[in-house]
Amino acid sequence: MRVVARLIAADLIATFALIVLGGVVRATGAGLACPDWPLCHGRVIPPLEPLVLVEWTHRLAASLAGLLTLVVVVAVWWDRSSRATLGGPALLAAVLLAAQVVLGGLTVRHLLTRWLVVAHLGTAMAFFAVLVALAVLALVPGPAGARRARDPFRALAVATAVVTYGLVLAGGYVSATGAGLACPDWPLCYGQLLPALRGRVGAQLVHRAAAVVAGTMIAVTAWAASRTQARRPAVQAAAAVAVGLFVLQVLLGALNIEYQLADAVTVSHLATAAALLGTLVALAVLAHRLPEIEILPTSEGIPPRPSRAQRVLDYVALTKPRIMVLLLVTALAAMLIAAPGRVSPWLILLTLGGGALSAGAANALNQVLDRDIDALMSRTRRRPIPAGRVLPAYAVAFAVLLGVGAFVELAVLVNLPAAVLALAALLFYVVVYTVWLKRRTAQNIVIGGAAGAVPPLVGWAAVTGRVELPAVLLFLIVVLWTPPHFWALALWRREDYARARVPMLPVVAGEASTHRQILVYTLLLVACSLLLWALGYLGPLYALAALALGAGFVVLAVRLAREKSVPAAVRVFGYSVVYLALLFAAMVADRFLAA
């Protein structure tokens, strides 16, 4: 079942990406960039023109999602333990996949007929919803015992998901008929609450009315979850995420009017709609899957309820603000280096705000996934989740809202490249580092550290709209800085990592090998930092600062190798933080003096 669950999760992610790409196709008008189907201009690899590339990438992603779906169906029916629970939904996913393939071909051949476009979107969303249900069924154990009594909340959760699906279809019809700007103002329409319901205006108003109905039902569902499902944290968390996503969706709807259907806004509107529908489907399945009352400790085992201020501080702690500050320093420096003296303060604020939300989401999910490790380590056992002050389900809800908010804020108010880079860093940190590498290899921090090196790329892309060689060098500096920084910490906390069975280098290879590796990476870091001067991107002031700071780092690394003591490791760890901050400050100072 674990393998099946991973395959379903991969298919779910691929399908969500496919839906977002479909939104890009629609927003850019690339739907007929390939006039034939299944080939594109009669070729497997068509001419790489911008719109053709958008449509071709969408088709390639569809092929990947389709292949993954077939693998999921085979895996479900091959495994007897999962066949009884997942067999029916898996076959339904296969049927919807076949229907979507046919609709995709018809959409191209019939030149984007409005009802075919709506059917294409509706089938895609239904397919996505089935995959969400499959994922929840695979990950959450079913109820034991006799058949349970009727629960009105379950019916309410299902009804809310169905109504929201109808809202998505109404939005698809608005887009297909070009009615997105039929009402030039918001929330009124031509200054009226209820103008004449005809033509495109009627389509727009039906969509808005459906949003009011769906929003009301989501609010009622969340209220019911907090009152009648008080002992089902996962249900409460899903309901909270749904409310947050709906509020975000309403804001995006207003921004669609304000920004005249800008590509980034319309794509974010579709992506948030898919996330909202998926959350409500998950909520409905959880309401059926989980027992009405979860077993909680007796009153003697329940810690005293923390104050409101303490609860706020606990959620702030989930974001790891001290680590976040250093990441934001590198992003800010990259922005100032890319265009010294020409960066709007508002752009800086919006970029750093979105970056903070994205980093906070990644750190919160990291703490959810590592809660068993954190509980064993003296350095981390007082964190909110292992200490029992924040439930994992609530932390996941908090992280999802931060992550979605970060992507939308960056995509709409900064630019799409910055948003995509921030999202890629989040996924890399959570999936590649936390889930895959951290518990499997001593090189976890070498590869996984790339996630923490993305903020300079985000900052650079926010200013220029692209990633250039200087930004890549900034990325490499942080990548090479990460191993000596974290291995020094691992030497300091070696017993903690050993107790938690995390294969950090000092635990697996020993301290002597770690000392050598710290020195090697420090030398590589200093050499890489000088490339910015050697290639002419920065001047002599930066070169002198990089040499001086690098020399201090090398001296401490050499002393660590000779002394082989914990105090020496602590000095390397502390200096590494100061080094990175001062190095990026020197870059900014040099760039401003040269400007």
Side-chain angles (χ1 to χ4, degrees), residues 412-444:
V412 173
L413 301 178
V414 181
N415 58 40
L416 194 55
V420 171
L421 285 167
L423 179 61
L426 188 159
L427 294 175
F428 191 90
Y429 183 66
V430 173
V431 178
V432 177
Y433 171 66
T434 304
V435 174
W436 179 29
L437 296 174
K438 185 171 183 177
R439 306 184 191 220
R440 286 177 171 80
T441 172
Q443 297 301 308
N444 47 19

Side-chain angles (χ1 to χ4, degrees), residues 212-426:
V212 171
V213 174
T216 302
M217 293 189 68
I218 290 170
V220 171
T221 302
W223 176 83
S226 67
R227 296 294 296 258
T228 62
Q229 313 295 318
R231 296 194 174 186
R232 285 197 272 187
V235 171
Q236 281 188 330
V241 170
V243 171
L245 289 175
F246 182 78
V247 171
L248 183 61
Q249 186 72 335
V250 171
L251 292 175
L252 287 168
L255 289 173
N256 261 329
I257 304 297
E258 179 69 22
Y259 287 94
Q260 300 289 295
L261 300 180
D263 292 353
V265 182
T266 56
V267 172
S268 298
H269 196 54
L270 176 64
T272 308
L276 175 61
L277 178 62
T279 301
L280 291 171
V281 170
L283 171 61
V285 177
L286 286 170
H288 284 79
R289 196 76 169 156
L290 293 175
E292 285 85 350
I293 298 177
E294 290 183 354
I295 303 299
L296 294 180
T298 62
S299 58
E300 297 178 358
I302 300 177
R305 183 178 179 84
S307 66
R308 182 173 300 176
Q310 181 60 53
R311 291 200 297 273
V312 171
L313 291 175
D314 284 336
Y315 279 94
V316 171
L318 287 177
T319 67
K320 299 183 183 178
R322 286 182 295 179
I323 295 175
M324 184 192 301
V325 168
L326 193 58
L327 298 178
L328 296 181
V329 165
T330 63
L332 174 60
M335 296 181 74
L336 298 177
I337 295 166
R342 293 185 285 112
V343 185
S344 163
W346 284 110
L347 181 61
I348 292 175
L349 182 64
L350 292 170
T351 303
L352 296 185
L357 291 176
S358 185
N363 289 329
L365 289 173
N366 170 266
Q367 291 194 53
V368 171
L369 295 168
D370 280 352
R371 61 189 184 274
D372 56 332
I373 294 175
D374 288 347
L376 298 174
M377 299 174 64
S378 58
R379 182 175 65 89
T380 57
R381 65 190 178 194
R382 288 182 292 276
R383 285 177 173 173
I385 297 177
R389 299 193 302 274
V390 175
L391 291 172
Y394 294 168
V396 170
F398 176 65
V400 169
L401 291 177
L402 288 184
V404 173
F407 180 83
V408 170
E409 190 256 8
L410 288 171
V412 173
L413 301 178
V414 181
N415 58 40
L416 194 55
V420 171
L421 285 167
L423 179 61
L426 188 159

